[in-house]
Amino acid sequence: MSNGIDKKALFKLKSEPYLKPISDLGVGFYNLDENTAILRFQLSNSKGPLQIHKNNLTAYAYFESSNGSVSDVIELEIEDSNKGIVTITLDSEFLHASTSTSVKGQVYIGVNNVDGKAEYNEVAAFREFTFEVADALINKISAFTKVEYIRMFSQLKMKIEQQVKDIEEAIANGADYVAEMKSVLQQGIETLNAIVASGKSDIQAYISQAKSDLTKVKDDATEDITTVSNNAKTSVQDTASSAVNNINTISTEATEHVDAKVSEFNQTVEDNGFLSPQILDEELGKLTWQKYKMIENDGKRKYVPNIRNTDITTFPAGLYEITTVSDTDWELCKIPNFDGMKVGHIATVDVTEGLNGRKQFVYRHNHYNRVFVATLHTGGSWRDWKEITSEQSDTGWIPFKLINGATSNTSFKGVEDNGFDCAYRIEKRGSVTEKTIRFNGKNLTQSQTIAQLPSNLFKNAHSFPIRVPTSNNYSGGYITARPSGEVKFYINGDSSTWNEAAYIYGEYSWKE
């Protein structure tokens, strides 16, 4: 638990073959420093701070006092993996054992060998360093002062014992208080009984008054209901009589009106006669309206259940629904043949006709949702079917994560909203497939595998340049992708000058 009173000392250690120890920096602790004596080490090499993480490196420390006291081999905690800073809190027991001595220490780092092979083992020891452990001043208090503290605590004890005695005497006198409390309790019981008796009397009076009031309300309500019932009966009888009189009057008027209309109709028939079917056809023929029948009377297409041995170019203008036929009948029936056609599938044919025998055909195959057009020219010249539908699809941007230490870039200058994310996209337009991939990442190294994408994304191997906006002594980088989905990053130019803080940003598209 840290309360801000810790004492931290920083040693900067380099991984280099020089045995000269670090010069005395004046670092020292006291033997009463408990959980506050902290040593910090910044580990680096010739290129800068070491990148330390629990998944790749482990750091240890060992201490030895000039009086022979030693510590365990202690694993250090990682404070800042990017700056190579690790820390350790010195054990208070070791500080007590090393009082008034000079302590010598050394830090070691080892690479985590995930394969368990001896040839991959790597361990490095850093230069030695020293610090002092002093005796706390409070440990030097004289014997006389200690005796004074003992006498002071003895007086305090006597005072506490006197107070305890006073409390015990007060408790012994508690019997008088109990007797007084019993007297007060008896008085309270008598008062409550009087209140209860008075309350019962009041409640009985309230009940009697309520019964009287309810009886009066019941009598008044019964009288009102009887009056309203009598009035309602009289009103209903009057309304019924009035309604019957109105119905009789309206019935008489309606009968007289119908009789008059019948007489008028009979006179009209007698004067003009009925319209004959022949005259009706002649009158309809004079009307200007569309008279060609494109569909059935119920609004449905004309159904041809089997067009085997039937040439659809002989169909008159109209809208048809047909069933497809076997492969041997395509040419005869003039039906478009395409992959996936099956016997028995429903299709529609729209036939329109122009001058000189010209016809236009639109064929829709319902199951596959495909549309074809064809034309019959003057003189019977046939222009074969051409498909006018086109399949389209778009996956949208599918994000992916960078791997092996590479990370997506979430904050850099010069690009609005931190730019786009790492993602890929597949768009299909008919027979053409266009693919696009985007990169935006950092923490990259030479020939590093930075992504593993689906194996069907790259039909062939690809290599393309990628922008490195912070490039300095190198001319950017490039990306390679294999059909297996493996994606690698490479540095153009001298990779030894590569700045691992640099990032890549770019987009690449190709068609298949």
Side-chain angles (χ1 to χ4, degrees), residues 42-61:
Q42 184 174 35
L43 309 181
S44 62
N45 56 19
S46 58
K47 296 182 180 180
L50 295 180
Q51 302 297 304
I52 296 178
H53 192 272
K54 64 180 180 180
N55 292 337
N56 63 348
L57 291 176
T58 304
Y60 304 89

PDB file of all heavy atoms in Angstrom, residues 42-61:
ATOM      1  N   GLN A  42      16.766   1.655 -14.395  1.00  0.00           N
ATOM      2  CA  GLN A  42      16.434   1.847 -15.823  1.00  0.00           C
ATOM      3  C   GLN A  42      17.438   1.035 -16.648  1.00  0.00           C
ATOM      4  O   GLN A  42      18.617   1.357 -16.695  1.00  0.00           O
ATOM      5  CB  GLN A  42      16.479   3.316 -16.224  1.00  0.00           C
ATOM      6  CG  GLN A  42      16.038   3.536 -17.672  1.00  0.00           C
ATOM      7  CD  GLN A  42      15.939   5.012 -18.024  1.00  0.00           C
ATOM      8  OE1 GLN A  42      16.724   5.813 -17.534  1.00  0.00           O
ATOM      9  NE2 GLN A  42      15.005   5.344 -18.893  1.00  0.00           N
ATOM     10  N   LEU A  43      16.959  -0.029 -17.268  1.00  0.00           N
ATOM     11  CA  LEU A  43      17.798  -0.963 -18.019  1.00  0.00           C
ATOM     12  C   LEU A  43      17.829  -0.534 -19.482  1.00  0.00           C
ATOM     13  O   LEU A  43      16.781  -0.269 -20.084  1.00  0.00           O
ATOM     14  CB  LEU A  43      17.244  -2.381 -17.905  1.00  0.00           C
ATOM     15  CG  LEU A  43      16.967  -2.865 -16.463  1.00  0.00           C
ATOM     16  CD1 LEU A  43      16.448  -4.274 -16.484  1.00  0.00           C
ATOM     17  CD2 LEU A  43      18.225  -2.754 -15.604  1.00  0.00           C
ATOM     18  N   SER A  44      19.024  -0.468 -20.073  1.00  0.00           N
ATOM     19  CA  SER A  44      19.147  -0.004 -21.462  1.00  0.00           C
ATOM     20  C   SER A  44      20.340  -0.682 -22.118  1.00  0.00           C
ATOM     21  O   SER A  44      21.127  -1.380 -21.485  1.00  0.00           O
ATOM     22  CB  SER A  44      19.305   1.521 -21.484  1.00  0.00           C
ATOM     23  OG  SER A  44      20.494   1.912 -20.805  1.00  0.00           O
ATOM     24  N   ASN A  45      20.466  -0.475 -23.416  1.00  0.00           N
ATOM     25  CA  ASN A  45      21.647  -0.898 -24.178  1.00  0.00           C
ATOM     26  C   ASN A  45      22.061   0.276 -25.062  1.00  0.00           C
ATOM     27  O   ASN A  45      21.596   1.414 -24.877  1.00  0.00           O
ATOM     28  CB  ASN A  45      21.355  -2.159 -24.980  1.00  0.00           C
ATOM     29  CG  ASN A  45      20.172  -2.001 -25.905  1.00  0.00           C
ATOM     30  OD1 ASN A  45      19.773  -0.868 -26.210  1.00  0.00           O
ATOM     31  ND2 ASN A  45      19.574  -3.088 -26.346  1.00  0.00           N
ATOM     32  N   SER A  46      22.888   0.011 -26.044  1.00  0.00           N
ATOM     33  CA  SER A  46      23.412   1.097 -26.877  1.00  0.00           C
ATOM     34  C   SER A  46      22.341   1.763 -27.721  1.00  0.00           C
ATOM     35  O   SER A  46      22.514   2.880 -28.182  1.00  0.00           O
ATOM     36  CB  SER A  46      24.514   0.558 -27.797  1.00  0.00           C
ATOM     37  OG  SER A  46      23.990  -0.497 -28.605  1.00  0.00           O
ATOM     38  N   LYS A  47      21.197   1.086 -27.914  1.00  0.00           N
ATOM     39  CA  LYS A  47      20.134   1.642 -28.754  1.00  0.00           C
ATOM     40  C   LYS A  47      19.088   2.395 -27.940  1.00  0.00           C
ATOM     41  O   LYS A  47      18.219   3.026 -28.513  1.00  0.00           O
ATOM     42  CB  LYS A  47      19.454   0.521 -29.553  1.00  0.00           C
ATOM     43  CG  LYS A  47      20.375  -0.157 -30.544  1.00  0.00           C
ATOM     44  CD  LYS A  47      19.610  -1.217 -31.331  1.00  0.00           C
ATOM     45  CE  LYS A  47      20.512  -1.914 -32.342  1.00  0.00           C
ATOM     46  NZ  LYS A  47      19.797  -2.953 -33.121  1.00  0.00           N
ATOM     47  N   GLY A  48      19.120   2.266 -26.643  1.00  0.00           N
ATOM     48  CA  GLY A  48      18.136   2.953 -25.819  1.00  0.00           C
ATOM     49  C   GLY A  48      17.552   2.012 -24.776  1.00  0.00           C
ATOM     50  O   GLY A  48      18.063   0.913 -24.549  1.00  0.00           O
ATOM     51  N   PRO A  49      16.459   2.412 -24.120  1.00  0.00           N
ATOM     52  CA  PRO A  49      15.837   1.590 -23.076  1.00  0.00           C
ATOM     53  C   PRO A  49      15.415   0.226 -23.622  1.00  0.00           C
ATOM     54  O   PRO A  49      14.965   0.111 -24.756  1.00  0.00           O
ATOM     55  CB  PRO A  49      14.620   2.415 -22.645  1.00  0.00           C
ATOM     56  CG  PRO A  49      14.949   3.809 -23.040  1.00  0.00           C
ATOM     57  CD  PRO A  49      15.781   3.721 -24.273  1.00  0.00           C
ATOM     58  N   LEU A  50      15.561  -0.817 -22.773  1.00  0.00           N
ATOM     59  CA  LEU A  50      15.128  -2.163 -23.156  1.00  0.00           C
ATOM     60  C   LEU A  50      13.610  -2.254 -23.061  1.00  0.00           C
ATOM     61  O   LEU A  50      13.000  -1.686 -22.169  1.00  0.00           O
ATOM     62  CB  LEU A  50      15.751  -3.203 -22.224  1.00  0.00           C
ATOM     63  CG  LEU A  50      17.279  -3.353 -22.280  1.00  0.00           C
ATOM     64  CD1 LEU A  50      17.731  -4.417 -21.297  1.00  0.00           C
ATOM     65  CD2 LEU A  50      17.736  -3.721 -23.691  1.00  0.00           C
ATOM     66  N   GLN A  51      13.023  -2.965 -24.027  1.00  0.00           N
ATOM     67  CA  GLN A  51      11.577  -3.210 -24.007  1.00  0.00           C
ATOM     68  C   GLN A  51      11.312  -4.458 -23.160  1.00  0.00           C
ATOM     69  O   GLN A  51      11.556  -5.581 -23.599  1.00  0.00           O
ATOM     70  CB  GLN A  51      11.037  -3.412 -25.435  1.00  0.00           C
ATOM     71  CG  GLN A  51      11.312  -2.228 -26.354  1.00  0.00           C
ATOM     72  CD  GLN A  51      10.618  -0.969 -25.873  1.00  0.00           C
ATOM     73  OE1 GLN A  51       9.412  -0.970 -25.691  1.00  0.00           O
ATOM     74  NE2 GLN A  51      11.382   0.088 -25.646  1.00  0.00           N
ATOM     75  N   ILE A  52      10.855  -4.249 -21.925  1.00  0.00           N
ATOM     76  CA  ILE A  52      10.710  -5.361 -20.977  1.00  0.00           C
ATOM     77  C   ILE A  52       9.231  -5.671 -20.795  1.00  0.00           C
ATOM     78  O   ILE A  52       8.416  -4.780 -20.603  1.00  0.00           O
ATOM     79  CB  ILE A  52      11.338  -4.999 -19.615  1.00  0.00           C
ATOM     80  CG1 ILE A  52      12.850  -4.793 -19.783  1.00  0.00           C
ATOM     81  CG2 ILE A  52      11.077  -6.093 -18.594  1.00  0.00           C
ATOM     82  CD1 ILE A  52      13.525  -4.387 -18.511  1.00  0.00           C
ATOM     83  N   HIS A  53       8.884  -6.935 -20.873  1.00  0.00           N
ATOM     84  CA  HIS A  53       7.511  -7.381 -20.643  1.00  0.00           C
ATOM     85  C   HIS A  53       7.567  -8.772 -20.032  1.00  0.00           C
ATOM     86  O   HIS A  53       8.495  -9.545 -20.302  1.00  0.00           O
ATOM     87  CB  HIS A  53       6.723  -7.398 -21.965  1.00  0.00           C
ATOM     88  CG  HIS A  53       5.252  -7.574 -21.749  1.00  0.00           C
ATOM     89  ND1 HIS A  53       4.660  -8.800 -21.657  1.00  0.00           N
ATOM     90  CD2 HIS A  53       4.262  -6.660 -21.606  1.00  0.00           C
ATOM     91  CE1 HIS A  53       3.388  -8.656 -21.465  1.00  0.00           C
ATOM     92  NE2 HIS A  53       3.100  -7.366 -21.440  1.00  0.00           N
ATOM     93  N   LYS A  54       6.572  -9.100 -19.215  1.00  0.00           N
ATOM     94  CA  LYS A  54       6.565 -10.396 -18.526  1.00  0.00           C
ATOM     95  C   LYS A  54       6.510 -11.566 -19.502  1.00  0.00           C
ATOM     96  O   LYS A  54       6.840 -12.685 -19.136  1.00  0.00           O
ATOM     97  CB  LYS A  54       5.373 -10.460 -17.579  1.00  0.00           C
ATOM     98  CG  LYS A  54       4.014 -10.399 -18.276  1.00  0.00           C
ATOM     99  CD  LYS A  54       2.901 -10.457 -17.271  1.00  0.00           C
ATOM    100  CE  LYS A  54       1.550 -10.396 -17.951  1.00  0.00           C
ATOM    101  NZ  LYS A  54       0.449 -10.449 -16.971  1.00  0.00           N
ATOM    102  N   ASN A  55       6.098 -11.286 -20.775  1.00  0.00           N
ATOM    103  CA  ASN A  55       6.021 -12.368 -21.751  1.00  0.00           C
ATOM    104  C   ASN A  55       7.346 -12.649 -22.450  1.00  0.00           C
ATOM    105  O   ASN A  55       7.480 -13.672 -23.133  1.00  0.00           O
ATOM    106  CB  ASN A  55       4.958 -12.040 -22.814  1.00  0.00           C
ATOM    107  CG  ASN A  55       3.569 -12.045 -22.234  1.00  0.00           C
ATOM    108  OD1 ASN A  55       3.336 -12.677 -21.216  1.00  0.00           O
ATOM    109  ND2 ASN A  55       2.636 -11.333 -22.859  1.00  0.00           N
ATOM    110  N   ASN A  56       8.343 -11.731 -22.309  1.00  0.00           N
ATOM    111  CA  ASN A  56       9.597 -11.984 -23.029  1.00  0.00           C
ATOM    112  C   ASN A  56      10.843 -11.936 -22.128  1.00  0.00           C
ATOM    113  O   ASN A  56      11.824 -12.632 -22.403  1.00  0.00           O
ATOM    114  CB  ASN A  56       9.723 -10.980 -24.189  1.00  0.00           C
ATOM    115  CG  ASN A  56       9.803  -9.545 -23.703  1.00  0.00           C
ATOM    116  OD1 ASN A  56       9.551  -9.278 -22.532  1.00  0.00           O
ATOM    117  ND2 ASN A  56      10.148  -8.617 -24.587  1.00  0.00           N
ATOM    118  N   LEU A  57      10.842 -11.115 -21.053  1.00  0.00           N
ATOM    119  CA  LEU A  57      12.025 -10.990 -20.208  1.00  0.00           C
ATOM    120  C   LEU A  57      11.632 -11.066 -18.733  1.00  0.00           C
ATOM    121  O   LEU A  57      10.523 -10.689 -18.352  1.00  0.00           O
ATOM    122  CB  LEU A  57      12.722  -9.632 -20.467  1.00  0.00           C
ATOM    123  CG  LEU A  57      13.401  -9.442 -21.838  1.00  0.00           C
ATOM    124  CD1 LEU A  57      13.930  -8.029 -21.957  1.00  0.00           C
ATOM    125  CD2 LEU A  57      14.541 -10.440 -22.041  1.00  0.00           C
ATOM    126  N   THR A  58      12.573 -11.540 -17.903  1.00  0.00           N
ATOM    127  CA  THR A  58      12.394 -11.552 -16.446  1.00  0.00           C
ATOM    128  C   THR A  58      13.639 -10.930 -15.808  1.00  0.00           C
ATOM    129  O   THR A  58      14.769 -11.257 -16.210  1.00  0.00           O
ATOM    130  CB  THR A  58      12.192 -12.977 -15.921  1.00  0.00           C
ATOM    131  OG1 THR A  58      11.087 -13.573 -16.605  1.00  0.00           O
ATOM    132  CG2 THR A  58      11.907 -12.969 -14.431  1.00  0.00           C
ATOM    133  N   ALA A  59      13.423 -10.007 -14.840  1.00  0.00           N
ATOM    134  CA  ALA A  59      14.538  -9.318 -14.186  1.00  0.00           C
ATOM    135  C   ALA A  59      14.635  -9.769 -12.724  1.00  0.00           C
ATOM    136  O   ALA A  59      13.607  -9.926 -12.046  1.00  0.00           O
ATOM    137  CB  ALA A  59      14.348  -7.808 -14.259  1.00  0.00           C
ATOM    138  N   TYR A  60      15.921  -9.989 -12.218  1.00  0.00           N
ATOM    139  CA  TYR A  60      16.153 -10.427 -10.846  1.00  0.00           C
ATOM    140  C   TYR A  60      17.201  -9.500 -10.209  1.00  0.00           C
ATOM    141  O   TYR A  60      17.936  -8.789 -10.911  1.00  0.00           O
ATOM    142  CB  TYR A  60      16.667 -11.867 -10.786  1.00  0.00           C
ATOM    143  CG  TYR A  60      15.769 -12.867 -11.463  1.00  0.00           C
ATOM    144  CD1 TYR A  60      15.910 -13.158 -12.810  1.00  0.00           C
ATOM    145  CD2 TYR A  60      14.775 -13.518 -10.742  1.00  0.00           C
ATOM    146  CE1 TYR A  60      15.085 -14.083 -13.437  1.00  0.00           C
ATOM    147  CE2 TYR A  60      13.944 -14.448 -11.360  1.00  0.00           C
ATOM    148  CZ  TYR A  60      14.102 -14.733 -12.718  1.00  0.00           C
ATOM    149  OH  TYR A  60      13.302 -15.638 -13.317  1.00  0.00           O
ATOM    150  N   ALA A  61      17.289  -9.527  -8.879  1.00  0.00           N
ATOM    151  CA  ALA A  61      18.305  -8.753  -8.162  1.00  0.00           C
ATOM    152  C   ALA A  61      18.810  -9.583  -6.973  1.00  0.00           C
ATOM    153  O   ALA A  61      18.066 -10.407  -6.412  1.00  0.00           O
ATOM    154  CB  ALA A  61      17.752  -7.425  -7.680  1.00  0.00           C
TER     155      ALA A  61
END
